[in-house]
Amino acid sequence: MYNKPISTDFTGTNEFSLPPEGRTEVEVLDVYPYVAKSGKDNVVFELATSDGFKLKHYCFNDVDDSGKTNRWMLKKTLGAITGVAQPTGPVSFYPRDIVGKKFFVVIKHEEFIGTSGRAFKNAKIADVIVDEAVASGQTNLEKDESDLLPF
């Protein structure tokens, strides 16, 4: 067992807080593929508000149980980030082309009951705003059938 004192200083430590609800500009910090516990493919966008709050936005990149594609939010998110309507069919993109871009989202607060029975609140991206993209320039998403992310 560790037998030395552990020191810290809670001066200036604030209580946990959430970003405000409503329309907010965010910046993309990172983008990566992720496989959920259910086995479904996702694309995760790590985002930050101008106030420094960090959020993760999960977009399905898979088909549902009936065989229909479940990529509408991913397509909408990429459209909001790039300011360009996304094509129908396969595309690929490099995270480096997305990181640093800014766009608008709608944040809402959700309350849920944890496994301990305690109530928690978290912030969730309820929607992305496509027609008000603020990304500088246009990211070039290349049509491709074999690259990073199959669409």
Side-chain angles (χ1 to χ4, degrees):
M1 175 190 327
Y2 185 81
N3 196 21
K4 293 183 181 182
I6 299 173
S7 300
T8 190
D9 182 357
F10 292 125
T11 304
T13 303
N14 297 324
E15 293 296 318
F16 177 76
S17 62
L18 297 172
E21 288 187 296
R23 181 180 174 271
T24 305
E25 184 180 34
V26 293
E27 180 178 346
V28 180
L29 300 177
D30 199 5
V31 183
Y32 50 89
Y34 170 77
V35 179
K37 290 178 186 175
S38 65
K40 301 280 185 183
D41 291 328
N42 288 262
V43 175
V44 178
F45 295 86
E46 290 188 5
L47 308 170
T49 67
S50 59
D51 300 343
F53 289 102
K54 294 185 179 176
L55 301 157
K56 287 187 180 181
H57 181 47
Y58 293 84
C59 296
F60 289 119
N61 187 24
D62 213 321
V63 295
D64 65 17
D65 294 335
S66 68
K68 294 181 182 177
T69 61
N70 232 0
R71 298 178 178 118
W72 62 272
M73 182 55 83
L74 178 58
K75 186 173 185 175
K76 187 174 182 180
T77 301
L78 288 172
I81 293 169
T82 64
V84 177
Q86 299 304 297
T88 300
V91 298
S92 293
F93 68 92
Y94 288 94
R96 68 175 177 255
D97 295 332
I98 302 296
V99 170
K101 300 290 184 183
K102 295 180 180 181
F103 66 108
F104 286 96
V105 298
V106 176
I107 295 176
K108 76 174 192 175
H109 294 168
E110 288 187 329
E111 206 169 297
F112 63 95
I113 306 298
T115 55
S116 66
R118 190 171 147 219
F120 291 93
K121 253 189 177 179
N122 71 348
K124 176 183 177 179
I125 296 176
D127 201 5
V128 296
I129 301 172
V130 175
D131 57 347
E132 295 184 37
V134 295
S136 58
Q138 296 181 357
T139 302
N140 182 20
L141 298 182
E142 302 171 7
K143 272 195 136 187
D144 186 33
E145 296 182 22
S146 61
D147 215 355
L148 300 175
L149 299 172
F151 292 91

